[in-house]
Amino acid sequence: MLAVLAVLIFFMFRNSRKRKADAEQLQAKVQPGAKVMTNFGLFGTILSIDEEENQVLLETSPGTVLTVHRQTVARVVEASETDEAPESLGSEPEFGERVADEPAEGTPSTDETPDAKKSDD
């Protein structure tokens, strides 16, 4: 019983240190010019940080500046490297990929099935 309690206390301290280190790392990245996301899902660029008032001026779009509390900045958005070109545009679709049904050339694109549901009566 005491061993389980000791393991529980160990993990509590470990998680506490981990969260503290993550918070310090985030605060080091939060600087003017950084692109960030807030807790409520708003993306923007930091214009300035007021340490005394714990406020951040956040530009969401050109000309739109919002003032938010510093603790609402959830994470710094880093540019993802997804500059890869698609492998092949005319190949078979991958498993689970939805493909739009396109009518063949020369066939009418009208749907001949009725929209009404059939009743079991």
Side-chain angles (χ1 to χ4, degrees):
M1 188 95 141
L2 290 175
V4 171
L5 182 62
V7 169
L8 180 67
I9 291 172
F10 170 74
F11 280 116
M12 285 177 24
F13 281 118
R14 184 173 151 230
N15 287 341
S16 173
R17 278 192 233 134
K18 196 175 193 180
R19 272 187 260 125
K20 186 176 180 180
D22 288 343
E24 289 174 359
Q25 185 180 13
L26 174 67
Q27 292 303 322
K29 289 182 179 179
V30 174
Q31 297 174 354
K35 295 186 180 198
V36 296
M37 183 185 84
T38 62
N39 287 339
F40 44 91
L42 186 70
F43 290 89
T45 305
I46 295 177
L47 296 178
S48 68
I49 300 171
D50 184 5
E51 298 288 338
E52 294 175 6
E53 299 288 327
N54 282 334
Q55 293 179 350
V56 175
L57 289 178
L58 194 66
E59 183 178 33
T60 56
S61 63
T64 305
V65 179
L66 303 172
T67 303
V68 296
H69 196 274
R70 184 177 180 148
Q71 290 181 348
T72 61
V73 175
R75 66 182 176 109
V76 175
V77 179
E78 298 170 352
S80 61
E81 298 180 14
T82 57
D83 297 335
E84 301 173 8
E87 294 176 7
S88 60
L89 297 175
S91 68
E92 292 291 319
E94 292 186 26
F95 179 76
E97 183 180 358
R98 292 186 180 201
V99 179
D101 293 329
E102 296 180 13
E105 291 183 23
T107 59
S109 63
T110 59
D111 189 14
E112 296 180 11
T113 59
D115 290 338
K117 292 183 180 179
K118 293 183 180 179
S119 116
D120 291 337
D121 292 333

